[in-house]
Amino acid sequence: MLAKYFRLSEHNTTVKKEVLAGLTTFSTMAYILAVNPSILSRTGMDFNALITATALAAAIGTLVMALYARLPIGVAPGMGLNAFFAYTIVSSMGYSWQFALTAVFLEGIIFIFLSMFRIREAIINSIPENLKHAISVGIGLLIALIGMANAGIIETGMHHVGDGKLDGVILKMGNITSIGPLIALIGLIVSAVLMYKNVNAALLIGILAATVVGIPLGITHFPASGHLVSLPPSLAPVAFKLEFDKIFTLDMVMILFTLLMVNLFDTVGTLIGLCNKAGLLDENGRLPRAKQALMADAVGTTAAGLLGTSVVTAYVESASGIAAGGKTGLTALTVAIMFLLSLFFAPVFAMIPQAATAPALIIVGMLMMGAVTKIDFNDVTEAIPAFLAIVMMPYSYSIAEGIVFGMLSYVLLKVLTGQYKSISPVMYVLSVLFIITFLVK
């Protein structure tokens, strides 16, 4: 039944390969179960309830991706968007976390309508082929950087020394002989050797090996309670706490616009990059079942607002599962099931240190670099936008910012060189919106 529904033979894959890919993706996404509650709880929200809300929102969004879109992509509350929730809406603007949840809920509703009428799909299809390849490469560099930073291989070196002056370098090598980087390098070597031997679960085995090695080195910790299984924490402190009395304000309009723009291009960029890597784009470079895929994060975000957590988005870490052989929704279904199981086995999944998941991110970053060979660097009006999209993702630590730089420069260069007819109307509209966003900031 699974093979027929997910068309495994058509994609030249198996149930075993898809499940292992799903386990690999979940292993690289599981950190969100601890990180998201840690960030959002700074607004006064209940930490334990946030664990449950995070897991359920991820499971719902990923189930839609699995069963409706049938793509091997996990969905969960997004990094960056949760920081916007906690530090901008609540801390800087002074609104309550209930107000912020209302914004999340409203954004989800808006996204459902945009997805139903294929507006988001039209945006995806309007992106030029070279930019699509550049997005894949840029994402690869970004997630490799994230992996190295998580393990402590790379550190931020710049710091303030007074009077607004900075000292040091932007990035520098970490203490490579410390435990985190050593664990990551061990996992990297194990995964690389297994990949050379064509072992499908190479990345997952590398994560597990690094986790085990981390036990005697003190970086992998057993649960303090001594229990590996527990009942999920109650959702009551954060669920269904919407606050509609202040929604008709300019602040709400700006908050919704920011959430919509950031989430739209994070998701679009991630979907294009991942499906390009998985070989799932059609002959015209278009995303298959784009409407269904975009509906996944729309439904997930709506559920997130009700459950009590921040905006969900397609996860770039899904590239690890794709690299492990995942090609269908069965990979995503495995991820969704694991998020549901994590409600009861959270202490077990919490044992995996970030340094142990870093090798998978680094290797996937390397694999996604392959798309750079498909970019036309002979035409400067194609090469510069692609280059800006690639470098701005890791430099700005944002997929969305990379896409903005790539698309704006593409439109400007094509217009200034008399090639304006090659630009789709959607690209013109998006460029105007980007410029307005910059002016408002």
Side-chain angles (χ1 to χ4, degrees):
M1 182 181 67
L2 289 174
K4 183 177 181 180
Y5 182 78
F6 291 110
R7 302 174 183 174
L8 300 187
S9 58
E10 180 181 321
H11 291 90
N12 193 29
T13 186
T14 64
V15 171
K16 179 181 177 181
K17 185 182 292 186
E18 293 290 305
V19 170
L20 287 173
L23 291 174
T24 302
T25 292
F26 176 78
S27 295
T28 60
M29 290 178 64
Y31 69 87
I32 199 64
L33 293 170
V35 175
N36 197 55
S38 176
I39 293 174
L40 298 188
S41 63
R42 297 175 188 180
T43 66
M45 302 176 76
D46 183 82
F47 181 89
N48 291 326
L50 284 167
I51 294 176
T52 302
T54 300
L56 287 177
I60 291 170
T62 306
L63 275 174
V64 177
M65 186 69 77
L67 302 177
Y68 188 42
R70 290 183 284 185
L71 292 174
I73 298 171
V75 177
M79 293 297 294
L81 291 165
N82 50 15
F84 180 76
F85 181 111
Y87 302 123
T88 301
I89 301 177
V90 179
S91 297
S92 297
M93 301 180 73
Y95 286 104
S96 65
W97 57 263
Q98 292 90 339
F99 179 87
L101 285 178
T102 307
V104 172
F105 173 74
L106 291 176
E107 191 219 350
I109 296 296
I110 294 171
F111 262 178
I112 287 176
F113 281 104
L114 291 178
S115 300
M116 286 176 59
F117 293 103
R118 297 183 180 274
I119 296 175
R120 298 174 77 193
E121 184 177 348
I123 293 173
I124 290 179
N125 293 335
S126 70
I127 299 176
E129 195 71 16
N130 276 322
L131 277 182
K132 289 179 180 178
H133 295 312
I135 288 168
S136 180
V137 176
I139 290 175
L141 290 175
L142 174 61
I143 62 176
L145 176 60
I146 291 172
M148 291 181 182
N150 286 348
I153 297 173
I154 294 294
E155 295 179 353
T156 301
M158 190 76 74
H159 61 277
H160 287 274
V161 294
D163 298 326
K165 295 181 180 179
L166 297 171
D167 187 35
V169 294
I170 298 174
L171 293 175
K172 66 178 182 180
M173 180 74 73
N175 182 3
I176 206 71
T177 60
S178 61
I179 295 175
L182 285 176
I183 291 294
L185 291 174
I186 290 171
L188 184 64
I189 292 170
V190 170
S191 295
V193 171
L194 292 176
M195 287 178 66
Y196 176 78
K197 295 180 179 295
N198 295 317
V199 176
N200 290 330
L203 297 182
L204 178 59
I205 294 173
I207 291 171
L208 295 177
T211 301
V212 171
V213 173
I215 295 175
L217 295 178
I219 197 173
T220 302
H221 304 287
F222 289 100
S225 64
H227 300 293
L228 298 180
V229 181
S230 63
L231 291 175
S234 172
L235 271 175
V238 297
F240 302 100
K241 302 292 185 181
L242 304 184
E243 189 179 81
F244 290 101
D245 58 334
K246 298 178 182 178
I247 62 172
F248 298 107
T249 63
L250 181 59
D251 279 347
M252 177 58 87
V253 173
M254 292 309 302
I255 288 169
L256 283 176
F257 182 75
T258 301
L259 286 174
L260 286 166
M261 294 300 288
V262 173
N263 195 24
L264 172 64
F265 287 99
D266 267 349
T267 298
V268 167
T270 300
L271 287 174
I272 291 174
L274 293 177
C275 288
N276 186 30
K277 176 60 187 173
L280 297 176
L281 298 182
D282 64 20
E283 61 275 7
N284 297 315
R286 296 189 174 188
L287 180 70
R289 300 181 297 281
K291 176 182 177 180
Q292 295 88 330
L294 294 169
M295 189 64 75
D297 76 313
V299 171
T301 294
T302 305
L306 294 174
L307 292 170
T309 187
S310 53
V311 174
V312 306
T313 185
Y315 252 58
V316 69
E317 284 85 352
S318 303
S320 61
I322 290 173
K327 295 182 180 180
T328 75
L330 183 53
T331 294
L333 178 60
T334 303
V335 175
I337 291 172
M338 292 302 293
F339 270 115
L340 291 175
L341 289 176
S342 71
L343 290 169
F344 302 94
F345 294 91
V348 176
F349 299 119
M351 288 173 55
I352 301 175
Q354 283 192 336
T357 63
L361 300 180
I362 295 170
I363 289 176
V364 169
M366 176 271 295
L367 293 173
M368 295 187 75
M369 280 290 295
V372 76
T373 61
K374 301 176 183 178
I375 298 173
D376 179 12
F377 285 105
N378 294 316
D379 182 349
V380 72
T381 64
E382 297 281 344
I384 289 179
F387 174 75
L388 289 176
I390 290 171
V391 298
M392 286 306 297
M393 287 188 193
Y395 290 172
S396 67
Y397 217 68
S398 168
I399 294 172
E401 297 290 356
I403 294 174
V404 168
F405 271 86
M407 292 180 70
L408 271 179
S409 60
Y410 182 88
V411 172
L412 286 172
L413 287 173
K414 291 296 184 182
V415 169
L416 293 174
T417 56
Q419 303 178 65
Y420 54 88
K421 291 184 179 180
S422 64
I423 306 171
S424 69
V426 175
M427 287 282 286
Y428 281 118
V429 173
L430 291 174
S431 297
V432 172
L433 290 175
F434 290 148
I435 293 171
I436 291 173
T437 302
F438 281 130
L439 292 176
V440 170
K441 287 182 178 180

